Amino acid sequence: MNPIPFLDSQVIRALLVALVGMAGLIARKMGASFDDAFWNELIDAALLVIATGGSLWAGWARATKPTPPITQTAAEKTAERERQGGFARLPMLLCLLIGALAAVAGCSGTRDAYRAASDAEHVTRLEATAYVVSEHYAALVAEAARLKNTGALSGDALERVRLADDAVRPLIIGDASTQRPGVVQAVAAYRALRNAETEAQLQQAISAAVVQLSALITALKGR
Amino acid sequence: MQMSFAMGLFLLRNVAQLFLVQGDRKAADTLTLLADTAESGVNVDAHMAEIARKTRAGESIDWDNVRARIEADSADLHRDPPPG
């Protein structure tokens, strides 16, 4: 986009008019005056009207008229802004701030839960890990459902999340149609028998679930 | 959810509304998406912090409850909203 001549801008013209009024008022303040008081008051009033009218004109022109760039710098910035899709730095800055905030707030509790599982004493670490993985999935699917219900998750993104959920759910709560056990059933078997076989089955169930859980997280984040 | 974070989300959603009023739907949608994503992350993290507390406190695990919540929320996720 090429810059337009300086005085073709209505905003600039209006500001120049306002500037004339302001300059006159300043001159009056500095002592410029007529001998006749009537003319002094009339000139003061006229200068005030000019300054106010010019300011209002500038505001009106800025709000209602197209604002083509006046300088080459402004033209380049306008072109850059259009390349970005029409909105500029504030959302980008907010994006970075919120992203940084979410990065800090969004994972400390989750990390702590997995750490607590590894420190568990009242149940075996394996069962505690199964519990944390299952609750992590429960929290994610609850959020996914909430986002769908608020309309924030829809279309192709919703379908991707649903597919990822279909992959995780049987690994956590099992699949009745195929009789495939999930983490929940593996925990029950492990608690009942507590032998090497059930321990290995529970470990495998957790491992499989964790892989698909990360895919669900990716689908949710990538929406 | 921390108060400062809640306020940040509130401000972000208001800025999104301002963009919407100005007619810049793309900016409004982007900011709303950011707010939703951030809020989801915080909700999940708050839930997991509670799980960490329960695990450390030695509370018994109610697997039936875990399973019931997963079934209900997963079914909700797969349920399409009624037309119109």
Side-chain angles (χ1 to χ4, degrees), chain A residues 58-73:
Chain A
W60 172 82
R62 179 62 184 83
T64 61
K65 298 291 178 186
T67 53
I70 297 168
T71 63
Q72 191 57 40
T73 307

Side-chain angles (χ1 to χ4, degrees), chain A residues 84-87 91 94-95 98 101-102 105-110 112-113 115-117 119-120 122 127-128 130-132 134-149 152-153 158 161-162 165-166 169 172-173 184-185 187 191 223, chain B residues 2 4-5 8-9 12-13 15 19 24 26-27 30-49 51-63 65-67 69-71 73-81:
Chain A
Q84 286 176 357
F87 65 99
L94 282 170
C95 167
I98 294 292
L101 199 57
C107 65
S108 61
T110 307
D112 193 34
R115 199 179 304 123
D119 296 340
H122 66 293
E127 184 177 351
Y131 174 57
V132 169
S134 301
E135 285 287 0
H136 195 183
Y137 168 59
L140 288 168
V141 78
E143 275 307 304
R146 185 185 68 81
L147 289 171
K148 184 215 72 172
N149 291 332
L153 183 61
L158 174 60
V161 171
R162 281 173 169 171
D165 177 55
D166 282 340
R169 191 180 55 258
I172 300 286
I173 62 172
V184 173
Q185 291 79 15
V187 166
R191 290 172 91 173
R223 78 184 196 282
Chain B
Q2 290 177 351
S4 57
F5 195 84
L9 281 180
L12 194 59
R13 289 191 194 282
V15 173
F19 274 106
D24 195 342
K26 188 175 178 181
T30 303
L31 291 184
T32 304
L33 180 68
L34 274 172
D36 288 336
T37 303
E39 188 177 358
S40 289
V42 170
N43 287 346
V44 169
D45 206 51
H47 178 83
M48 294 309 287
I51 296 305
R53 189 198 62 74
K54 283 182 177 176
T55 304
R56 288 212 171 86
E59 290 185 17
S60 60
I61 300 172
D62 185 352
W63 283 103
N65 175 269
V66 175
R67 184 181 177 145
R69 277 187 286 120
I70 288 172
E71 284 176 339
D73 288 328
S74 185
D76 185 9
L77 176 66
H78 287 263
R79 192 179 306 124
D80 284 323

Side-chain angles (χ1 to χ4, degrees), chain A residues 46-136:
Chain A
L47 290 173
L48 267 174
V49 168
I50 290 169
T52 307
S55 302
L56 290 173
W57 180 17
W60 172 82
R62 179 62 184 83
T64 61
K65 298 291 178 186
T67 53
I70 297 168
T71 63
Q72 191 57 40
T73 307
E76 286 166 8
K77 286 185 175 174
T78 303
E80 176 64 23
R81 188 168 166 166
E82 283 174 356
R83 269 199 299 276
Q84 286 176 357
F87 65 99
R89 291 179 186 166
L90 177 64
M92 298 295 282
L93 182 63
L94 282 170
C95 167
L96 289 173
L97 288 174
I98 294 292
L101 199 57
V104 174
C107 65
S108 61
T110 307
R111 277 204 309 267
D112 193 34
Y114 281 97
R115 199 179 304 123
S118 69
D119 296 340
E121 291 176 359
H122 66 293
V123 291
T124 68
R125 289 178 185 175
L126 202 53
E127 184 177 351
T129 304
Y131 174 57
V132 169
V133 169
S134 301
E135 285 287 0
H136 195 183

Side-chain angles (χ1 to χ4, degrees), chain A residues 15-27 46-52:
Chain A
L15 287 175
L16 286 175
V17 169
L19 200 60
V20 168
M22 296 297 283
L25 286 170
I26 290 169
L47 290 173
L48 267 174
V49 168
I50 290 169
T52 307

Side-chain angles (χ1 to χ4, degrees), chain A residues 26-59:
Chain A
I26 290 169
R28 286 278 298 125
K29 273 283 177 195
M30 291 176 71
S33 62
F34 297 92
D35 292 334
D36 191 337
F38 169 76
W39 282 108
N40 283 331
E41 284 189 17
L42 190 64
I43 290 294
D44 279 351
L47 290 173
L48 267 174
V49 168
I50 290 169
T52 307
S55 302
L56 290 173
W57 180 17

